[in-house]
Amino acid sequence: MGISNCGFLTLVFLLCISTQSATSNLASNNFLKCFHSQTNLSVSNSSSNVIFTTNSSSYTSVFQSSAQNFRFVTASTPKPQLIIRPLHESHIQAAVICSRKNSVNIRIRSGGHDYEGLSYVSNIPFIIIDLANLRSIKIDMENKTAWVESGATLGELYHAIAEESNIYAFPAGSCATIGVGGHLGGGGLGTIFRKYGLASDNVIDAQIVDVNGRIFDRKSMGEELFWAIRGGGGASFGIIFAWKIKLVPVPSIVTMFDISKTLEPGATKLLQKWQLVADKLSDTLFLDVVIAGNSNNTILVSFRALFLGVSEELLTTMEESFPELGVERKDCTEMSWIQSVLYFAGFSTRKSYDVLLNRTNPYKSPFKAKSDYVKEPISEKGLQGLWKILGEEESGYMIWTPYGGRMSEISEFETPFPHRSGNLYLIQYMVTWEAEEETEEHVNWIRRLYGYMTPFVSKNPRSAYLNYRDLDLGINRNENESYGQASVWGLKYFNTNFKRLAQIKAEVDPSDFFWYEQSIPLFLS
């Protein structure tokens, strides 16, 4: 009896899947043999706590430990064949050497906050090199610097600094469970970046394992590669396992307020004024806006401030620059810098800052995010249309982060991160949900919101922030993706710095071993 075309194609497909699976299993087995020969560690050596196969009892818990977007923690999510958790830099070297030798795709994870899950998900067979065990922090208060390993979280870093001083800080993000490695590699903005620039602007050295398994620091890697890894997506160039950062001074007392308005009392007018003044305020004042819909189909606008000084000074600044907001003494709370970290991380300021040592993110859920930059104020008519869409989604919100200050003083070419002078503010769009079957509905909503905003945001390119990863912008379909094809998404993140990044990539990783869906491509002249 003959076989139909459909049946024949199905048989071919199954054979291909079977062959691919067998090939990938062979590669992972060969990887393990190689890794054992390089390190003397094996799967049977349970005391190593380094190698986790799909048969390991703790495989699932290790995989999920820092998988932050539950959109990618489902039964259908592709899982790694192996997870390697290095205890020493030599383990990273061995993992790179053995992965390359056996053509194994790797994903590099520090905190797992990659918005699209690229640090722990892939549609081709892969392994994860999880840096969670490499999280030592060495503070040098005499020189106001610190060496911090990539697997440390921002919460752990802030805690370590606070243990040494209440008048020094580091200008990084507000979410305590973000891994230092990914955050610095993509830029890293937080509540004092208008005063001190991005987290990556305050990196003064780093240690990286390159494609050949060699370890370099700033001096030996050269200034071109050092430039690339500070905001250009470090995982495209190697595995950066440690960073030397510059600590920055903060006053012993800072002041914050959080004032919420609905549209009825005139939040639209306040937002119009905010757009005119937020980037021009003193660099000691950070005043962002959170805009959210709710179940009553209304809009809530929250103005959140952190001021590097006492409340009287903040009130004077607000009266001079933004009296319409009506900030009063009762709205202000004075606190230490580390207490402000707790507040913006979602913790009570009355609790011990030891809570920052908890590496488990209490707010995990499926989500989708996007970003935009605004160069001209959005009109009242534009805002009215925005409220209509936001009011339809009770779990969607926007965060408007003001620029200006130090961000306008640093050249767009100083690091790969180009979004400096000329930007009024950054928009982060976010929507969360609970059930897997709700995914399409909520993703479609945020894409519609993003589409509506097109006339009001940056153009040619429509810029985006790398640390708010968005695969809607475009992806590398395979390792042979050309620079021209990748420019569809690359120019949005990096503007004209994208070409320089691709040239450096071609020099340091000519075989494109450190490939993923939005890795820097090779620029071949």
Side-chain angles (χ1 to χ4, degrees):
M1 188 172 80
I3 186 169
S4 68
N5 286 339
C6 182
F8 176 74
L9 292 174
T10 300
L11 178 61
V12 171
F13 175 76
L14 291 174
L15 286 172
C16 287
I17 293 295
S18 176
T19 301
Q20 183 185 56
S21 177
T23 302
S24 60
N25 287 335
L26 177 62
S28 62
N29 288 334
N30 287 339
F31 170 90
L32 287 173
K33 292 177 183 176
C34 174
F35 193 76
H36 174 66
S37 69
Q38 293 277 334
T39 64
N40 205 33
L41 296 174
S42 65
V43 176
S44 60
N45 182 2
S46 58
S47 63
S48 70
N49 201 33
V50 171
I51 305 168
F52 302 88
T53 70
T54 53
N55 295 322
S56 302
S57 59
S58 52
Y59 170 87
T60 299
S61 63
V62 170
F63 172 74
Q64 294 182 353
S65 62
S66 53
Q68 305 295 345
N69 189 344
F70 274 11
R71 182 176 163 209
F72 304 110
V73 185
T74 67
S76 60
T77 301
K79 306 296 192 301
Q81 295 174 317
L82 300 168
I83 302 174
I84 305 297
R85 273 194 163 181
L87 294 171
H88 188 268
E89 60 220 46
S90 63
H91 298 162
I92 303 177
Q93 293 175 284
V96 169
I97 291 169
C98 295
S99 297
R100 189 180 180 198
K101 181 178 180 181
N102 293 284
S103 301
V104 175
N105 183 254
I106 64 171
R107 297 298 155 116
I108 306 160
R109 184 167 75 174
S110 54
H113 275 266
D114 189 303
Y115 278 12
E116 297 282 12
L118 297 187
S119 63
Y120 54 93
V121 173
S122 176
N123 288 319
I124 61 176
F126 71 108
I127 68 171
I128 293 176
I129 300 176
D130 188 334
L131 303 178
N133 288 329
L134 294 175
R135 58 179 193 264
S136 77
I137 301 168
K138 298 177 181 178
I139 308 291
D140 179 356
M141 286 310 305
E142 182 178 351
N143 293 301
K144 311 301 184 292
T145 62
W147 271 104
V148 52
E149 290 185 322
S150 289
T153 64
L154 295 184
E156 290 171 330
L157 175 58
Y158 296 146
H159 185 280
I161 296 171
E163 289 285 277
E164 298 290 335
S165 172
N166 68 342
I167 57 170
Y168 277 87
F170 184 65
S174 58
C175 184
T177 56
I178 291 174
V180 165
H183 192 63
L184 297 183
L189 55 88
T191 57
I192 56 173
F193 84 120
R194 299 186 67 251
K195 176 69 174 177
Y196 293 113
L198 303 173
S200 57
D201 293 331
N202 291 276
V203 170
I204 54 180
D205 204 344
Q207 292 180 304
I208 184 173
V209 175
D210 82 339
V211 68
N212 296 308
R214 299 171 299 184
I215 293 178
F216 296 117
D217 61 9
R218 177 176 182 172
K219 182 177 180 180
S220 54
M221 78 174 77
E223 288 302 304
E224 281 295 278
L225 181 53
F226 184 65
W227 176 86
I229 63 175
R230 291 175 296 140
S236 290
F237 304 96
I239 302 181
I240 303 107
F241 62 89
W243 308 78
K244 188 178 183 181
I245 59 174
K246 179 174 58 179
L247 306 183
V248 299
V250 291
S252 58
I253 296 176
V254 302
T255 306
M256 63 146 298
F257 65 73
D258 190 337
I259 297 176
S260 296
K261 304 283 187 179
T262 60
L263 295 186
E264 288 75 13
T268 300
K269 293 294 185 184
L270 289 175
L271 269 180
Q272 286 186 285
K273 180 62 181 288
W274 179 92
Q275 292 184 93
L276 298 175
V277 303
D279 69 307
K280 300 175 182 66
L281 294 169
S282 164
D283 61 12
T284 58
L285 176 56
F286 172 82
L287 179 60
D288 76 351
V289 180
V290 181
I291 310 168
N294 62 33
S295 56
N296 297 322
N297 200 35
T298 58
I299 305 298
L300 187 69
V301 181
S302 298
F303 296 86
R304 307 183 305 175
L306 177 68
F307 178 70
L308 299 178
V310 298
S311 56
E312 286 75 14
E313 295 171 343
L314 172 57
L315 289 171
T316 299
T317 298
M318 291 302 297
E319 181 60 32
E320 292 174 351
S321 303
F322 196 2
E324 295 86 349
L325 190 56
V327 182
E328 301 178 20
R329 179 65 183 85
K330 64 181 178 61
D331 300 316
C332 300
T333 304
E334 294 182 344
M335 61 185 68
S336 65
W337 157 255
I338 197 65
Q339 285 178 306
S340 77
V341 169
L342 291 174
Y343 179 83
F344 280 94
F347 301 116
S348 169
T349 58
R350 293 186 295 274
K351 289 188 175 181
S352 165
Y353 61 81
D354 286 349
V355 69
L356 296 173
L357 298 177
N358 187 352
R359 293 176 64 90
T360 302
N361 182 0
Y363 308 112
K364 285 185 180 182
S365 67
F367 68 85
K368 171 66 180 176
K370 302 178 79 66
S371 64
D372 262 320
Y373 282 91
V374 178
K375 295 179 177 294
E376 300 289 340
I378 301 173
S379 66
E380 182 174 359
K381 182 179 179 181
L383 292 176
Q384 295 295 347
L386 176 59
W387 305 152
K388 182 178 179 181
I389 299 176
L390 272 176
E392 298 171 0
E393 175 58 75
E394 60 182 87
S395 61
Y397 60 93
M398 305 167 71
I399 301 176
W400 293 9
T401 301
Y403 269 50
R406 179 68 178 139
M407 290 298 287
S408 292
E409 298 169 357
I410 301 173
S411 165
E412 64 182 294
F413 308 112
E414 181 72 19
T415 71
F417 183 96
H419 315 296
R420 308 285 188 169
S421 180
N423 292 294
L424 298 181
Y425 56 96
L426 164 67
I427 295 177
Q428 177 178 195
Y429 310 87
M430 179 73 75
V431 64
T432 63
W433 58 93
E434 296 296 329
E436 185 178 351
E437 58 268 20
E438 299 174 1
T439 299
E440 184 177 1
E441 169 193 348
H442 293 285
V443 170
N444 286 341
W445 173 83
I446 199 171
R447 286 171 176 165
R448 185 158 56 88
L449 173 62
Y450 183 78
Y452 170 80
M453 292 294 290
T454 302
F456 310 112
V457 298
S458 60
K459 300 171 180 63
N460 302 316
R462 181 175 183 174
S463 296
Y465 174 35
L466 180 64
N467 275 355
Y468 298 158
R469 177 90 66 190
D470 182 6
L471 293 187
D472 289 351
L473 302 180
I475 62 170
N476 301 328
R477 291 179 294 274
N478 54 59
E479 291 90 336
N480 298 315
E481 192 83 349
S482 71
Y483 169 80
Q485 291 168 320
S487 294
V488 170
W489 58 263
L491 292 175
K492 292 178 172 64
Y493 290 135
F494 304 112
N495 293 357
T496 56
N497 288 334
F498 187 54
K499 182 176 180 180
R500 183 176 173 187
L501 284 169
Q503 290 171 327
I504 296 169
K505 168 76 170 181
E507 287 290 325
V508 302
D509 183 20
S511 64
D512 201 12
F513 171 72
F514 293 107
W515 176 93
Y516 55 92
E517 286 77 3
Q518 281 189 348
S519 59
I520 302 298
L522 308 180
F523 183 85
L524 303 174
S525 56

